[in-house]
Amino acid sequence: MWWRFVNLDKRCAQSPTGGYRLGEFFFRPGLPLSIYEFTIPSPLSSKVASLTAKSPRIMHCSSSPNSRLLRCPEEIILLVFREIDQLSDAACFALADGKLFRIGLARIEELQRLYYSIWAGDRVLLIGGRTNDDDYPESVQDTVNEELRHAQDVAEEDASDNSKFCYLASECYERPFRPGDVWKRHRKLIRHKDKDARNYKALVKRHHDDSSLRVLCNISKGEFVRQTSIKDLPFYADLGHAMLSRICWATDDSIGMAYGLEDNKNPLHRGSWAGDRFEVTTMDRLRSNIEWRDVSKEVADTLRDIYRSEYGSAEFVYESSW
């Protein structure tokens, strides 16, 4: 049975790499859906101190009487930043003057998240090719039904395969956009030793926290998994595998794995997180409006049981790509 990563909100779908069956790609490092796409960049405020120390003039406010923009109220300048939808443009605009830099920093952080964390907060699941249209998680069943109705309205003729949502998503949804680093795309155009180039790099480069501090958050259920709990396993696994262990969904249990076949406990193909919303952040930046529950031990135990069912007690040979 084939599988597809599906983002219902972005209408994106992608096939896993490394195999056809779930057991062939489950423990591969570097999943086709990188956990980076869910990771919230670290706040730019942590970089501003070192940035201003190296380039004090970045905070210098121009007193030019000819600059009508700089004489505008901050609220007006903020509205200008709000109209900028490209991270690189916002960074260049902010570096023009210290006043613009101070006002636009929050907008640059917002654009960093929109550009780099493109799947954060979206509904995601791994759909098996043998999934009945009336058998999706309750949280996404209405969306599936709406997609099927829309497909029927626009289809010139009904095809048996395309009438199922798993085939519809596989064939009609777009491939996920994989954001490259803005700085890497522009660095050849800017002199590396130029101070403005260094400042620009600091504003647009993807900044992530120490991997040991990361937590995978299920926003829908208010649960999180600590990176440290996964790293302590005697084989290679990361937060991507923690998510994968709970987002698979199919009607048929022919998943090509031994786990769950004997006692049918926590079957992989009926993931409790399938269709939920996710993001990766740090403990000190967890959303304050959600009452959180730590499920790190449960997820780590599940991954350990899955691994033992497939490979026994030998250690896994792959190393972390983080």
Side-chain angles (χ1 to χ4, degrees), residues 49 57 63 71 91 113 131 143 147 160 190 208 211 213 224 232 269 310 322:
R57 73 180 184 85
S63 57
R71 285 182 291 166
R113 172 169 178 164
T131 305
T143 301
E147 289 285 307
S160 57
I190 306 174
H208 286 312
S211 62
L213 303 176
F224 68 84
D232 290 338
H269 70 291
E310 296 300 308
W322 276 54

Side-chain angles (χ1 to χ4, degrees), residues 39-41 108-118 120-121 219 279 287:
T39 304
I40 308 299
I108 293 174
E109 284 190 344
E110 183 180 354
L111 289 172
Q112 271 208 354
R113 172 169 178 164
L114 292 173
Y115 183 79
Y116 290 121
S117 311
I118 55 172
I219 302 170
E279 69 181 16
R287 300 191 184 202

Side-chain angles (χ1 to χ4, degrees), residues 40-57:
I40 308 299
S42 57
L44 276 176
S45 56
S46 61
K47 296 290 180 182
V48 169
S50 60
L51 185 63
T52 54
K54 294 178 181 179
S55 303
R57 73 180 184 85

Side-chain angles (χ1 to χ4, degrees), residues 21-283:
R21 297 176 180 271
L22 186 61
E24 294 174 340
F25 62 81
F26 190 95
F27 278 108
R28 287 182 61 87
L31 292 172
L33 180 62
S34 170
I35 210 70
Y36 276 127
E37 271 72 67
F38 295 90
T39 304
I40 308 299
S42 57
L44 276 176
S45 56
S46 61
K47 296 290 180 182
V48 169
S50 60
L51 185 63
T52 54
K54 294 178 181 179
S55 303
R57 73 180 184 85
I58 196 174
M59 296 301 294
H60 173 69
C61 296
S62 173
S63 57
S64 172
N66 297 323
S67 178
R68 295 183 179 180
L69 174 63
L70 296 179
R71 285 182 291 166
C72 289
E74 291 189 5
E75 293 78 7
I76 301 298
I77 297 178
L78 186 58
L79 288 176
V80 175
F81 270 104
R82 287 289 175 188
E83 292 298 316
I84 300 176
D85 58 3
Q86 296 295 322
L87 175 58
S88 56
D89 294 341
C92 291
F93 186 42
L95 290 172
D97 187 84
K99 182 178 181 179
L100 300 178
F101 180 85
R102 176 171 50 83
I103 297 173
L105 198 59
R107 176 57 176 168
I108 293 174
E109 284 190 344
E110 183 180 354
L111 289 172
Q112 271 208 354
R113 172 169 178 164
L114 292 173
Y115 183 79
Y116 290 121
S117 311
I118 55 172
W119 280 35
D122 290 345
R123 294 173 297 167
V124 177
L125 68 166
L126 181 65
I127 300 177
R130 298 173 184 171
T131 305
N132 297 336
D133 289 336
D134 59 353
D135 187 39
Y136 282 88
E138 183 179 352
S139 60
V140 302
Q141 186 65 64
D142 289 344
T143 301
V144 171
N145 294 339
E146 183 179 349
E147 289 285 307
L148 290 171
R149 285 194 297 269
H150 177 71
Q152 286 185 343
D153 292 340
V154 301
E156 296 180 358
E157 58 181 15
D158 292 331
S160 57
D161 282 351
N162 291 338
S163 63
K164 294 188 66 174
F165 177 74
C166 56
Y167 289 97
L168 176 69
S170 176
E171 297 180 10
C172 300
Y173 277 19
E174 297 180 355
R175 288 179 59 84
F177 168 70
R178 303 297 294 273
D181 197 304
V182 174
W183 167 249
K184 289 181 179 179
R185 290 194 291 111
H186 293 169
R187 62 185 177 184
K188 292 184 178 180
L189 305 178
I190 306 174
R191 290 177 296 170
H192 287 233
K193 296 183 179 180
D194 187 270
K195 290 184 177 179
D196 286 335
R198 290 200 300 268
N199 296 338
Y200 174 81
K201 177 181 179 180
L203 291 182
V204 303
K205 187 175 176 61
R206 185 203 304 253
H207 299 290
H208 286 312
D209 302 283
D210 183 354
S211 62
S212 63
L213 303 176
R214 298 189 186 112
V215 289
L216 168 65
C217 303
N218 182 322
I219 302 170
S220 303
K221 290 186 170 61
E223 298 175 340
F224 68 84
V225 180
R226 300 173 185 265
Q227 172 80 4
T228 51
S229 68
I230 307 301
K231 288 295 185 183
D232 290 338
L233 293 171
F235 52 88
Y236 169 67
D238 59 21
L239 291 178
H241 298 95
M243 180 190 295
L244 184 60
S245 69
R246 293 195 168 198
I247 65 170
C248 304
W249 193 267
T251 302
D252 195 317
D253 62 359
S254 304
I255 62 174
M257 299 185 72
Y259 176 77
L261 293 182
E262 296 181 358
D263 54 12
N264 202 31
K265 179 183 67 175
N266 301 323
L268 277 177
H269 70 291
R270 309 296 284 184
S272 59
W273 284 2
D276 288 347
R277 302 179 184 275
F278 302 92
E279 69 181 16
V280 176
T281 183
T282 55
M283 286 297 299

